Each structure stands twice: as C-alpha cells, then as structure tokens.
C-alpha cells in the first residue's frame, strides 16, 4: 500500500519528519524504496542530472511521463510526486489540469508538484478540485531562474519575506497538501512551517521544515557541475564509479578481463571439429 497524502498530513500533526528524495529511473527508485524513503519526487531536475542541461527549462511533459511511469512501475510503497515541467501549467488553469491529468494517467504518479505562489493559487485550486493532489513549491523556483537572475536565496528582505508568507498561505488555501520551500532563510522557513497546517518540505530552508527533500545525484556526489550549499554528500559514489570504470578499461586493454570464470565452456570434440572444418 502506497503512502497517501492523508498519511503525509498526519506525519506533520504527529511531528514526524517527512523524507523525500528524487529518483528518475528504475535503479534510483528501487534503491530509494529499499532505503525506506517514503516519498519519491520525479523532479524536473532530471533536465540537469539526467539530460545534462544547465537548467530545468528544456524538460518536456513527455520526458516527465516517461520517467514517472518507470518510477511508479518499479515501486510499491512510496508516494510518487511528479513535477509539472516549464510551460505546462502557466498558460491557464485548464492547461494545467489537462497536463496534470496526463502525468497522473500516463505517468502513474499519485500527485503533481508545480512551482509558484499567489499567482498560481487559482491553478492549484482547479487541479485539486478535479481530484489531483498538488504539492506547491515556492522560494527559489528553478523554472524561473532567468527571472531571478540565478539560483539565489529568496525572502531575505521584509517585502519578499512577506510575499513568501502570502504565497505559502494562498497555496495552502487553494488546497495543496504540502509545499516545498527552496532556498529560503531558515528562520523564515520556520515561521512559514508554524503558520501552515500543511507540511513544508525544505531544500536549503533549514532544519525546522516539516520535512526535507534532496536530489539523488547531489547526496551521492554523482553530479559534479556544481555542489549546492544546501546538500550533504552522504557518499562519493561518483568517484567510486569513475575509478571502477577506469579499472574496467585498463583490464580490457591488458586482457586481464574477462577471465576463465567469466566465460562459458563447450565440448572438446565440438570445438576440435569446428577447428578442423574452419580453422586456418
Ligand atoms: O525538480 C526537483 O528535483 C525539485 C527539487 C529540487 C525540490 O523540484
């Protein structure tokens, strides 16, 4: 039985921290589930860590559907959240509803996530009231990186902090079941978490959020383009893979791999006959 949005709400009420991790394919999703991660986000960060772009902007709905459907198919227990990518929900609430429906029907996700505050409230309302749970996402919203002029902390000044509080309350009132706070000062994230009934899930928003989300490739040091300050590297898998691949190349070049143990035998008579027939 998968975790539900009801369970997520209960976890906030009971003071249990929520754990969310991104995953994009069968291997990462299975590893996350085996580690007991209760919420998997198929994030549009796949544009950077899987597709190799320098932002999430090139990601299309069909890419999200493809990756979400893999993650949903190979997991049993985690709640699967699918990101609505850039320009798939900002034109109108109707456009957003249609695309959220595709992500749910064809991608197999239990809920969708979209970026934006106050101005997205009517869209969240439209999707939620059609039966699709929505996770909000405010603060640094990466799809608007060009508008922000870079990946910067949001809400440091009084006006922008007030706006973030308004954003959070309006997304909650529109019916979102939880909200990601990205790159928000820790004390502001604490205040927002106290003000909201729905859980906040932080990334670069301090320890007082109701939960945390991290990117799979960041916490395993698989993504080397830059190291976000908000992440912690729990292992250096990237270095380990690099060294293993170098050893593989060297062993093949030196004919040290494969060994006899990696091969398959055949009857002497058969091979000798073949040599007589075809051998030079
Ligand atoms: O796309 C993503 O992975 C995200 C997280 C960084 C929250 O939105």
């Amino acid at each position: 039985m998968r975790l539900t949005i009801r369970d997520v709400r209960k976890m906030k009420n009971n003071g249990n921290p929520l754990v969310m991790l991104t995953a994009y394919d069968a291997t990462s999703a299975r590893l996350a589930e085996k580690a007991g991660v209760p919420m998997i986000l198929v994030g549009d960060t796949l544009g950077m860590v899987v597709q190799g772009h320098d932002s999430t902007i090139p990601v299309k709905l069909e890419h999200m559907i493809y990756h979400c459907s893999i993650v949903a198919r190979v997991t049993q227990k985690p709640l699967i959240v699918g990101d609505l990518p850039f320009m798939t929900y900002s034109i109108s609430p109707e456009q957003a509803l249609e695309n959220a429906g595709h992500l749910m029907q064809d991608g197999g996700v239990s809920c969708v996530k979209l970026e934006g505050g106050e101005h997205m409230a009517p869209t969240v309302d439209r999707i939620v009231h059609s039966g699709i749970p929505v996770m909000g996402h405010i603060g640094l919203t990466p799809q608007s990186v060009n508008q922000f002029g870079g990946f910067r902390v949001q809400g440091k000044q009084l006006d922008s902090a007030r706006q973030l509080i308004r954003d959070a309350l309006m997304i909650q009132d529109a019916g979102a079941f939880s909200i990601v706070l990205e790159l928000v000062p820790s004390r502001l994230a604490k205040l927002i978490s106290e003000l909201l009934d729905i859980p906040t899930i932080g990334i670069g928003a301090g320890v007082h959020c109701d939960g945390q989300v991290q990117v799979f490739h960041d916490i395993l040091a698989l993504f080397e383009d830059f190291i976000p300050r908000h992440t912690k590297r729990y292992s250096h898998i990237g270095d380990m893979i690099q060294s293993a691949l170098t050893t593989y190349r060297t062993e093949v070049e030196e004919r040290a791999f494969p060994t006899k143990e990696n091969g398959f035998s055949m009857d002497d008579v058969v091979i000798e006959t073949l040599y007589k027939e075809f051998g030079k």
Side-chain angles (χ1 to χ4, degrees):
M1 175 71 186
R2 282 198 191 278
L3 193 84
T4 66
I5 64 163
R6 228 171 137 233
D7 300 323
V8 170
R9 283 203 206 102
K10 258 194 240 156
M11 285 170 83
K12 168 152 183 156
N13 296 338
N14 297 339
N16 298 328
L18 286 150
V19 183
M20 185 158 81
L21 180 66
T22 67
Y24 314 98
D25 58 15
T27 303
S28 55
R30 285 188 176 125
L31 288 168
E33 178 163 31
K34 264 196 183 168
V37 171
M39 297 171 72
I40 293 183
L41 169 64
V42 185
D44 62 356
T45 37
L46 68 84
M48 299 167 86
V49 299
V50 177
Q51 298 177 333
H53 297 296
D54 60 3
S55 79
T56 57
I57 288 169
V59 178
K60 302 273 197 318
L61 188 66
E62 56 263 35
H63 303 154
M64 293 308 304
I65 290 173
Y66 173 78
H67 287 276
C68 286
S69 64
I70 293 169
V71 171
R73 179 166 47 77
V74 302
T75 55
Q76 277 81 47
K77 291 192 177 159
L79 178 80
I80 310 295
V81 185
D83 250 342
L84 280 171
F86 183 61
M87 288 307 293
T88 62
Y89 56 94
S90 54
I91 294 174
S92 68
E94 295 312 309
Q95 181 221 18
L97 175 59
E98 192 173 347
N99 288 328
H102 283 313
L103 202 53
M104 203 176 206
Q105 276 190 316
D106 306 326
V109 298
S110 318
C111 46
V112 301
K113 177 167 82 59
L114 57 81
E115 298 180 4
E118 185 171 2
H119 66 289
M120 289 311 296
T123 300
V124 172
D125 179 89
R126 183 78 181 99
I127 300 175
V128 169
H129 290 97
S130 299
I132 301 175
V134 174
M135 177 180 281
H137 184 161
I138 62 169
L140 186 279
T141 44
Q143 291 170 17
S144 306
V145 63
N146 291 322
Q147 180 74 18
F148 291 128
F151 294 95
R152 294 169 200 285
V153 177
Q154 302 296 307
K156 284 185 125 176
Q157 306 303 324
L158 195 54
D159 279 355
S160 57
R162 280 197 184 116
Q163 182 60 48
L164 274 184
I165 293 171
R166 226 177 0 255
D167 288 339
L169 289 169
M170 290 200 67
I171 293 296
Q172 168 175 271
D173 291 349
F177 73 95
S178 65
I179 188 161
V180 169
L181 305 180
E182 180 163 354
L183 294 195
V184 173
S186 305
R187 287 193 294 175
L188 176 59
K190 179 172 185 286
L191 173 60
I192 293 173
S193 304
E194 288 164 1
L195 288 172
L196 295 186
D197 296 323
I198 60 171
T200 57
I201 302 181
I203 176 161
V207 75
H208 297 293
C209 293
D210 300 302
Q212 299 292 328
V213 57
Q214 283 288 313
V215 171
F216 185 91
H217 294 60
D218 285 344
I219 63 169
L220 297 176
L222 279 167
F223 181 67
E224 297 292 349
D225 289 6
F226 59 89
I227 305 168
R229 168 160 161 198
H230 61 66
T231 201
K232 175 174 174 183
R233 297 181 142 192
Y234 286 88
S235 190
H236 287 263
I237 305 288
D239 290 345
M240 289 162 70
I241 293 175
Q242 194 66 71
S243 142
L245 297 183
T246 307
T247 307
Y248 164 66
R249 176 184 58 73
T250 311
E251 287 198 359
V252 171
E253 285 171 357
E254 292 172 353
R255 296 199 185 280
F257 174 85
T259 62
K260 202 172 169 196
E261 286 68 40
N262 304 118
F264 302 91
S265 64
M266 73 188 290
D267 197 275
D268 287 351
V269 177
V270 176
I271 190 66
E272 280 161 16
T273 306
L274 289 170
Y275 262 100
K276 270 186 206 143
E277 278 180 33
F278 298 102
K280 289 186 179 167

